């Protein structure tokens, strides 16, 4: 059996922002979301650089997908450092990155910042990533409850981004199963659409494109003060 991803991506400006600093990729092997920080135009540039560096992975088979993702992320980090040094307007540019690469029956994941990866398997939704944010650190310390963190004024403050500095991405590998459903999203979605609604929507929509559209629609209905991006993928048997 040979597994591939059937994937789709929907990204929206949201109702308040005037530019979209999210960039995403939805391929047969690679999924990625990058949410730029540093304000326009720097944020847009940083997320674009990151997705370009990662998208090269789509073209080849990878014996070690986790290593391949890590190398691509390092390359993105260097390019972002060069961009920030080349132009004072781009000082401070950076981006979150959450990316998944399928190789054989393994899914490798790298993660920096506060975009999220979710897995829906057998009806259960599991968050694969941990937010690298100030409020998540306070939740870990028992200072805030997750409910308080959701509405905290500094909930968007990330503790790490891909911005040309030393980087320690979270890394994981898991065994893929046919019928697994994946979601990568920017915080513009996960901030306003609760996990149980994400789970119901991923369960209800059989087509990745329809599911991604519906998730973004739900975020817009909830007010969407930020850019909203959803990459939805189903793990399928390429021969099936
Ligand atoms: Ca965002």
């Amino acid at each position: 059996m040979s597994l591939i991803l059937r994937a789709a991506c929907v990204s929206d400006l949201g109702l308040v922002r005037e530019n979209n600093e999210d960039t995403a990729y939805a391929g047969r092997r690679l999924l990625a979301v990058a949410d730029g920080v540093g304000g326009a135009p720097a944020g847009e540039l940083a997320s674009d650089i990151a997705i370009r560096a990662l998208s090269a992975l789509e073209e080849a088979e990878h014996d070690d997908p986790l290593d391949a993702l890590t190398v691509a992320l390092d390359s993105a980090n260097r390019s972002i450092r060069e961009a920030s040094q080349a132009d004072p307007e781009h000082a401070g540019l950076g981006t979150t990155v959450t990316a998944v690469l399928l190789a054989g029956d393994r899914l490798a994941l790298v993660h920096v910042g506060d975009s999220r990866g979710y897995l829906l398997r057998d009806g259960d939704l599991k968050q694969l990533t941990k937010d690298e944010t100030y409020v998540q650190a306070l939740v870990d310390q028992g200072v805030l409850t997750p409910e308080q963190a959701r509405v905290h004024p500094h909930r968007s403050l990330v503790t790490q981004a891909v911005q040309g500095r030393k980087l320690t991405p979270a890394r994981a590998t898991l065994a893929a199963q046919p019928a697994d459903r994946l979601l990568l999203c920017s915080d513009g979605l996960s901030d306003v659409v609760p996990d149980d609604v994400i789970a119901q929507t991923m369960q209800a929509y059989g087509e990745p494109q329809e599911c991604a559209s519906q998730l973004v629609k739900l975020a817009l209905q909830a007010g969407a003060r930020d850019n909203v991006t959803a990459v939805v993928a189903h793990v399928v048997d390429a021969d099936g």
Side-chain angles (χ1 to χ4, degrees):
M1 186 169 61
S2 152
L3 298 177
I4 56 161
L5 300 171
R6 205 150 58 78
C9 166
V10 175
S11 187
D12 196 284
L13 208 51
L15 302 176
V16 175
R17 298 286 186 91
E18 289 177 352
N19 65 310
N20 192 342
E21 299 185 20
D22 291 355
T23 309
Y25 189 93
R28 288 160 62 92
R29 290 193 179 98
L30 177 77
L31 312 171
V33 167
D35 176 351
V37 297
E44 280 175 69
L45 177 66
S47 62
D48 188 58
I49 289 172
I51 295 298
R52 274 171 201 260
L54 289 162
S55 63
L57 299 173
E58 176 74 18
E59 302 307 321
E61 291 281 350
H62 300 283
D63 293 334
D64 186 339
L66 191 56
D67 185 59
L69 277 173
T70 306
V71 168
L73 193 61
D74 280 341
S75 159
N77 198 34
R78 276 196 306 278
S79 298
I80 286 171
R81 181 165 56 227
E82 286 161 15
S84 77
Q85 289 167 347
D87 185 342
E89 268 204 6
H90 294 153
L93 87 170
T95 184
T96 74
V97 169
T98 300
V100 165
L101 184 63
L102 175 68
D105 65 351
R106 281 173 303 156
L107 284 167
L109 176 144
V110 291
H111 168 72
V112 176
D114 68 350
S115 300
R116 286 186 177 178
Y118 290 93
L119 169 69
L120 184 81
R121 175 180 287 171
D122 302 329
D124 290 325
L125 186 73
K126 184 180 169 197
Q127 189 178 327
L128 299 174
T129 53
K130 186 167 175 178
D131 296 348
E132 294 181 336
T133 56
Y134 168 70
V135 293
Q136 181 62 49
L138 294 180
V139 170
D140 292 345
Q141 291 163 23
V143 176
L144 290 181
T145 66
E147 293 70 30
Q148 289 169 328
R150 273 189 87 81
V151 295
H152 197 281
H154 299 311
R155 65 184 176 277
S156 299
L157 195 59
V158 292
T159 50
Q160 183 174 231
V162 182
Q163 55 188 159
R165 301 197 197 120
K166 188 178 180 304
L167 197 59
T168 47
R171 295 160 23 111
T173 306
L174 65 149
Q177 295 179 9
D180 279 350
R181 295 183 175 187
L182 293 155
L183 166 67
L184 304 188
C185 65
S186 60
D187 64 335
L189 178 69
S190 51
D191 265 2
V192 294
V193 183
D195 283 6
D196 59 333
V197 176
I198 289 176
Q200 286 161 17
T201 307
M202 288 179 72
Q203 188 88 282
Y205 287 81
E207 283 300 321
Q209 182 73 45
E210 285 176 8
C211 181
S213 296
Q214 178 63 17
L215 287 167
V216 170
K217 194 169 138 193
L218 290 168
L220 294 172
Q221 285 169 354
R225 299 187 60 77
D226 196 0
N227 306 142
V228 185
T229 298
V231 173
V232 173
H234 294 181
V235 176
V236 297
D237 182 356
D239 309 319

